[in-house]
Amino acid sequence: MTQAPQAGAADWASNHSSEAPRSELIKRLASELLDATETKVPVPPLRDRVLEMTLEDAYQVQDAQLQHHLAKGRVLAGRKVGLTSLAMQQQLGVDSPDFGYFFADMVHHEDASIPADSFISPKVEPEFGFVLKETLSGPGITREQAAAAIGEIYAAIEIIDSRVADWNIKLVDTVADNASCGAIAVGTTPLDVAIEDLADVECSLLIDGKSVASGKGEAVMGDPVAPLAWLANVLGEQGVALEAGQLILPGSFTGAVPVEQNTSATADFGALGSLTINFS
């Protein structure tokens, strides 16, 4: 794994003390993460370099990157919710999920060949992919309203990646780093499943055809629709809606599993269908 430039981190810390304007620190961290995305050279943990870094700070870093990409003409395709399982929340010492975004050029489909070296340290997670048929404008969105807004449901795989060195992350680090989103894969044939049955759906994660993890939909906040309502309400408080046609990934059935070059990953939903992608 490529190591972060430790000398550069020390220089940065000495030149950007806690006395520096908060807005300057936010911009600098966003720029570092944008550079890391391009160069594949990770950065040291952000939490160590901003005095008492808050979740609000982290989302400002994330949003600064989003606005940069949108200004460059990239097309927002959807949003992802992370940290939806109790195990992951306990690991990071949090009691709520987080969220990030992805663009159309980050979305892959069945049998895609994805260069492994386009990431720093990729891992995969099997998920549902919800395509919205209605816009959700929070706050105040109920579980029932969120469920009614779901159109097609697809098999999906999120490729997570960390621009923070060695996956040495806490909540503020991963939030600032776009919730560790690397890319998305989504099937082309909808899963024939009723929304009310999502919590009971089983999914296995296969690497090179061998099952390495499995879980049920209930692992996603007890109800895979719950993260969708949560996301609509959190974004709604910022004046941002989830638009009809967007793809939303509500969270993983299992823990994340590392992948390497010349391997395949499959989200196997049994009789409902599956999705396989390949890393070249």
Side-chain angles (χ1 to χ4, degrees):
M1 179 185 300
T2 307
Q3 296 297 313
Q6 296 300 321
D11 292 342
W12 190 93
S14 64
N15 293 331
H16 295 78
S17 70
S18 60
E19 298 178 356
R22 207 69 165 184
S23 59
E24 178 185 333
L25 297 176
I26 297 300
K27 291 179 182 178
R28 184 61 181 261
L29 292 176
S31 179
E32 282 194 19
L33 289 168
L34 287 167
D35 288 345
T37 302
E38 292 296 321
T39 64
K40 306 300 180 290
V41 178
V43 302
L46 281 61
R47 65 184 183 275
D48 296 336
R49 295 181 290 137
V50 177
L51 182 63
E52 297 180 352
M53 188 174 186
T54 66
L55 192 57
E56 180 180 358
D57 293 331
Y59 276 117
Q60 288 180 2
V61 174
Q62 182 189 123
D63 187 65
Q65 296 170 81
L66 172 61
Q67 300 309 319
H68 169 86
H69 291 301
L70 292 175
K72 294 292 186 180
R74 296 182 77 180
V75 177
L76 185 67
R79 306 268 183 173
K80 56 138 309 176
V81 184
L83 302 179
T84 53
S85 72
L86 180 61
M88 286 301 296
Q89 290 183 7
Q90 290 177 337
Q91 182 177 332
L92 292 184
V94 301
D95 59 3
S96 115
D98 67 353
F99 66 86
Y101 54 83
F102 52 90
F103 299 103
D105 56 15
M106 296 168 64
V107 179
H108 304 274
H109 297 287
E110 176 71 32
D111 291 328
S113 179
I114 305 170
D117 62 6
S118 60
F119 308 98
I120 296 172
S121 181
K123 301 179 182 183
V124 290
E125 299 177 336
E127 307 200 20
F128 287 124
F130 298 153
V131 175
L132 299 184
K133 63 181 180 181
E134 299 174 5
T135 295
L136 286 172
S137 298
I141 295 296
T142 66
R143 191 267 180 198
E144 290 70 25
Q145 289 172 315
I150 298 172
E152 294 85 7
I153 302 171
Y154 294 90
I157 295 173
E158 183 183 1
I159 305 166
I160 60 173
D161 194 27
S162 183
R163 274 64 61 174
V164 177
D166 300 321
W167 282 97
N168 181 11
I169 58 174
K170 295 295 184 182
L171 183 59
V172 292
D173 299 295
T174 185
V175 165
D177 187 26
N178 191 26
S180 302
C181 188
I184 302 295
V186 60
T188 55
T189 302
L191 301 177
D192 184 13
V193 58
I195 290 175
E196 298 308 318
D197 294 334
L198 293 178
D200 295 322
V201 171
E202 297 184 4
C203 181
S204 295
L205 175 62
L206 283 63
I207 302 297
D208 290 337
K210 180 180 179 181
S211 179
V212 294
S214 62
K216 296 180 68 174
E218 64 185 7
V220 185
M221 286 179 63
D223 172 10
V225 178
L228 176 60
W230 174 85
L231 179 61
N233 289 324
V234 170
L235 288 176
E237 292 174 354
Q238 304 172 21
V240 177
L242 296 177
E243 303 289 347
Q246 287 186 336
L247 174 66
I248 310 297
L249 270 63
S252 180
F253 282 68
T254 72
V257 176
V259 289
E260 300 176 347
Q261 186 178 24
N262 299 322
T263 61
S264 67
T266 300
D268 185 0
F269 290 83
L272 294 176
S274 64
L275 169 69
T276 296
I277 55 176
N278 306 288
F279 292 89
S280 58

